[in-house]
Each structure stands twice: as C-alpha cells, then as structure tokens.
Amino acid sequence: MDLRQAVYDGYQSFAPLSRRLIAEAREIFPGGDTRMSAHYAPFPLSIAHAKGCRMTDVDGHELIDFMNNFTSLIHGHANDAVVAAVSAQIANGSAYAAPSRGQIALGALIRDRVPSIEQLRFTSSGSEATLMTLRCARAATGKQKIMKMEGGYHGSYELAEVSLIPRADLCGPIEAPLPVAIDASIPDSVLRDVVICPYNQPEIARDLIRRHAHELAAVIVEPVLGSMGMIPATRDFLVALRDATSAHGVVLVFDEVITLRLADGGAQAAHGIVPDLTAMGKIIGGGLPIGAFGGRAELMRVFHPDEVQPVMHASTFSGNVLSMAAGEAAMRQLDPQVFERLNGLGERFRQGANEAFAGAGIRGQATGTGSLSNLHFTDRPLDSARASLAGMVAAGNVGQLLHLEMLQRGVMSAGRLMYCISTPMTAADVDSAVDALADALRALKPGIEKERPALLG
Ligand SMILES: Cc1ncc(COP(=O)(O)O)c(C=O)c1O
C-alpha cells in the first residue's frame, strides 16, 4: 500500500461522522466545498464547537487550533469580552445602513495605532479592502497598472490572485516575471494591467518601478508573504519599495490583512516604514466578517461625498454594528505586551518544529515571524514564492499527509501547514503541537524513505 492510501485509511476511520457529513455536503456544494481555502482531501473535519484555542469536531475529538480561521481569531474562539459585546449589540440590531458610534470607536482605535492611517473606511472583507486601495490609487494618480508581488495574495478576485502560484514553466525570468493566471477565469485584460515583481529582490523592484513609473498607480505588497508559506519581507526590500514609489509618484500599499497581528500598529510599525495606504481585515473584526483600508487623508479624499465624482464604494455589511462591537472588544485586549507574548510563542513553535525535523532526519523547516509560521519540507533557504513553490513541488503530497497525521494527533493547522498563535495558548500548547509533529514525522518516515528518499536529511 502506498503512503497516501495508508494515511487516508487511518484518517477515514478516525473521522466517520465528518466523512458522513461531507457526503451530504457533496449533494449541495460542488465537491462538498464552499470555501476553497478550508477544503482538503480526502475531506475536512467538520467542527461542532470551539472555545479558546480548542475546537471539537463532530466525532468528539478535541483539537488545538493553530489555524484560527486563517489568522483572524487572535483571541481564539468565543472570547468572553467579544461574546459579551456581540450579545449586547445584537439585541439592538445588527446593521443599520447608517452611521453609528461603534464605527467611530473602532475606526479611531485603528487610526491611533496604525502609523499610516490618517483616515479610513470599513469594508466587508479583506478582499474588498485591498481592491479599494487599488481603486483609490488609480483615481488619485490617473494611472492604471498595479504592481504586485510574485506569490502575493490579496483576496478572492482576479487581480489579487495573479501570479499567486508562479509555476516554473510560466513565470518567466526573475528580472521581469510574467503574470501567471491562477485559473481559466482570469481575463487577459487583467494580466495586461499587472506588473509582477519578484519578492525580496530590492534591486529588481527598484528597476521595475522606475521602468513602469509612467503607468503604475500602485505597488501592493504583503510584509509577510502569507499564502505562499509565511516568507517575511526583508527590511531592505520594503525600504526599496518605499524609496522607489516615493521617487516616482506611485502609491505604496501595504496589505496588512494578516500582518496587523505582528505588532501594535502592524508590520509597518515594527519596520518603521510607512506606506501611503494600508489594507486590513481579520483581527480587527474580533472573529466577525470585516475589512478596512485607509492612509493619507489626501488620497482618501477621493471617497469624500462632496467630491464632484467620488470613487464609488458601497458595501451592504460595511461598518455593520456587530462587527464593530466584536472588533472593538478584541482590539482593546491587545497591547505591546500581548503581541510580545504571542510572538515569543511563535518563535518557540518554530524552534521546536525545526528541532523535530532535525530529530526525525527529514529535511524541513518552519518559516515565519512573530505569531505566524509555516512548515516546509525543504531545508533550502526560503525567501521567495519561487523557492517556496519549488520546495512544495519536490515534496509532492507529503505536506498534505503530515496535515492529516497532525489532525489525528489533535492539532489543527491550515492544510498548507500554516500555524498561528492565539492569546489563550500557553507554552504547553505549543510544546504539545511540537511533540505531535515529532511523532507524526516518525510515523511518516518509513513511507518517505520508500517514496521520497530525497527528503531524508
Ligand atoms: C494578505 C491577505 N490579503 C487579503 C485577504 C483577503 O481577505 P478576506 O478573505 O477577508 O477577503 C487575505 C485573506 O486571507 C490575506 O491573507
């Protein structure tokens, strides 16, 4: 029996009720799935309830949650203050299509913490937030093209996903990467409007920005490449983007939808580099749907209702009072000490994970920074999407199988092996995830020896 079949067999008998539910879901949703990032083969665990850093699946297994709804639940599940705030608010309504005190309270809190924000607007998602930064930049500069990073993810729409996966056969030379469509739904017109920049290549970035300055409205960048494996940007790279965009009249956008959880004020505060616009989401909603974007008042002026032709931005659930209440309750529990503790636990996880790979004699590593980590089955240095992807291709399905083995040992991560820390976690929780990793690697090793010997260290 091959390794995949052996792991699938074990997983299927571990989760019979989840398996039964996915059969029902397949009647309703294509492949049983309504959110691609939450799907994994052979079927995902269905969750019954969750509290703090622990979730319980429908078969009754308890799991430590290192996924945290893709980093958004910085206080884990059902945080007491968030539950109280949402319960109090919902009795008074959930969304008014009118201004409210809650919007001002959360808006002011974000503005006071995030260095680039002079003015902001709420959205219903992080995708909408990044999209609106780009429309803002286009309207403010009168230019059309957008530079995005190879491996950068900015949400679920066409431009935001171009070159997310820079396939080696399509991505072109590193000095001038070609735009790569994520799937058959991406129109050529979108590919023509994008300039792709390789991540963590300051000199190439400067050159590309200079050459395209006449047509570039914005450069958008994640301070940590999230979807492609938690690869932190170097300071030199972010400085190069800041310098070159300032020199050439291009708007610099930081997508801090994930990285706002790295420090009080986000990655921009940690690096001391202030973009023109910032997109946010996830943690600012306290677990409810949200997004926000903002920056220099002069740029945000394009949305001013008194403008002759303001940039159109309407969104049914934008600024809804429930997300405002949850977000304020969550954000008020965060201060520099809390971020320091979270980041320390993240460092502890990465160190432990690296030791687990070394102890098992399997090539692998944990990348990331602060509370954000990702496991990879390669010991090559990972500083770009190309490097991360090459590691994934070489490892085949081993990462996916490790994920299933970790679930059976009570540890939930993203299928792509992203792990993040929440405030209810303790050092003991982190250590038990590391122990589970060491055990899972031991279990997989005989199969890896047979099928992927190149992964042995
Ligand atoms: C860096 C980044 N930007 C934007 C988004 C989109 O946010 P949302 O899923 O809330 O639309 C995500 C979501 O994972 C993200 O990771």
Side-chain angles (χ1 to χ4, degrees):
M1 194 195 313
D2 67 10
L3 180 60
R4 190 184 85 129
Q5 198 54 53
V7 173
Y8 275 25
D9 285 353
Y11 181 75
Q12 274 161 351
S13 46
F14 168 79
L17 270 180
S18 284
R19 191 180 185 187
R20 200 179 308 157
L21 278 182
I22 201 74
E24 274 181 48
R26 283 185 179 129
E27 300 291 317
I28 306 165
F29 311 114
D33 173 50
T34 177
R35 179 180 175 192
M36 196 167 275
S37 53
H39 179 78
Y40 46 89
F43 55 84
L45 294 185
S46 281
I47 300 302
H49 52 88
K51 174 76 185 164
C53 63
R54 287 184 160 69
M55 304 201 292
T56 305
D57 75 0
V58 289
D59 285 290
H61 306 112
E62 195 176 82
L63 299 115
I64 309 178
D65 185 11
F66 283 85
M67 157 95 92
N68 290 301
N69 195 21
F70 279 94
T71 78
S72 56
L73 298 168
I74 198 162
H75 300 301
H77 301 271
N79 173 264
D80 289 344
V82 172
V83 170
V86 170
S87 308
Q89 177 57 52
I90 199 154
N92 291 315
S94 56
Y96 306 140
S100 66
R101 283 183 190 280
Q103 294 173 346
I104 296 172
L106 182 58
L109 196 155
I110 293 169
R111 183 207 52 195
D112 292 348
R113 288 190 190 180
V114 184
S116 62
I117 308 287
E118 293 171 5
Q119 299 230 289
L120 73 153
R121 293 173 71 87
F122 285 111
T123 62
S124 302
S125 68
S127 301
E128 186 189 331
T130 62
L131 172 66
M132 294 316 299
T133 63
L134 305 183
R135 288 184 58 190
C136 175
R138 283 182 169 135
T141 62
K143 297 186 274 183
Q144 294 236 333
K145 290 198 179 178
I146 304 295
M147 175 183 282
K148 79 173 286 289
M149 304 303 141
E150 219 167 42
Y153 177 71
H154 304 291
S156 208
Y157 58 98
E158 294 96 334
L159 189 146
E161 292 170 325
V162 174
S163 290
L164 168 60
I165 301 177
R167 276 177 44 185
D169 55 333
L170 298 176
C171 66
I174 190 87
E175 313 76 42
L178 299 172
V180 179
I182 189 81
D183 55 42
S185 75
I186 310 295
D188 292 345
S189 57
V190 169
L191 301 182
R192 282 196 296 273
D193 273 342
V194 187
V195 177
I196 300 297
C197 179
Y199 204 65
N200 276 336
Q201 295 280 350
E203 289 318 312
I204 296 177
R206 282 182 202 273
D207 184 53
L208 284 171
I209 292 170
R210 184 183 49 74
R211 282 200 281 129
H212 290 277
H214 63 285
E215 54 188 358
L216 267 190
V219 171
I220 184 165
V221 61
E222 290 167 271
V224 177
L225 217 45
S227 295
M228 280 308 282
M230 290 302 166
I231 312 285
T234 62
R235 208 188 132 66
D236 281 357
F237 181 58
L238 295 178
V239 167
L241 296 180
R242 179 62 289 180
D243 289 351
T245 48
S246 297
H248 293 289
V250 178
V251 174
L252 179 62
V253 181
F254 274 12
D255 178 347
E256 295 238 37
V257 168
I258 285 183
T259 54
L260 209 65
R261 63 158 36 240
L262 290 178
D264 211 20
Q268 58 194 265
H271 282 291
I273 299 171
V274 181
D276 302 302
L277 294 174
T278 300
M280 295 158 284
K282 300 205 193 264
I283 68 165
I284 63 167
L288 268 64
I290 200 165
F293 68 99
R296 282 168 37 209
E298 165 207 350
L299 291 171
M300 293 298 288
R301 171 90 203 174
V302 302
F303 298 100
H304 197 302
D306 293 346
E307 288 285 296
V308 179
Q309 199 182 20
V311 171
M312 177 71 187
H313 174 225
S315 180
T316 302
F317 291 101
S318 176
N320 76 79
V321 279
L322 267 195
S323 296
M324 300 296 108
E328 189 189 346
M331 295 296 283
R332 286 214 182 280
Q333 297 173 64
L334 295 172
D335 60 29
Q337 289 73 39
V338 174
F339 287 108
E340 204 175 305
R341 181 176 167 275
L342 286 172
N343 293 346
L345 288 178
E347 190 54 42
R348 186 182 182 104
F349 174 75
R350 285 187 292 282
Q351 259 178 28
N354 287 332
E355 284 163 20
F357 278 111
I362 294 174
R363 294 183 199 279
Q365 63 183 300
T367 56
T369 181
S371 60
L372 297 166
S373 304
N374 212 109
L375 302 183
H376 300 261
F377 277 92
T378 173
D379 52 8
R380 299 226 170 118
L382 294 178
D383 61 353
S384 70
R386 290 187 187 207
S388 180
L389 188 58
M392 286 180 216
V393 170
N397 63 4
V398 173
Q400 179 211 345
L401 301 182
L402 174 68
H403 175 240
L404 299 178
E405 288 293 318
M406 292 295 280
L407 292 174
Q408 291 172 73
R409 287 165 178 77
V411 180
M412 170 67 85
S413 71
R416 61 172 191 256
L417 301 179
M418 184 279 294
Y419 287 71
C420 75
I421 307 291
S422 64
T423 57
M425 284 182 184
T426 62
D429 293 319
V430 169
D431 293 348
S432 70
V434 168
D435 290 345
L437 176 62
D439 193 49
L441 290 173
R442 265 195 300 276
L444 290 171
K445 191 166 179 185
I448 293 177
E449 258 164 4
K450 238 198 287 162
E451 294 180 17
R452 302 235 167 222
L455 295 184
L456 298 182

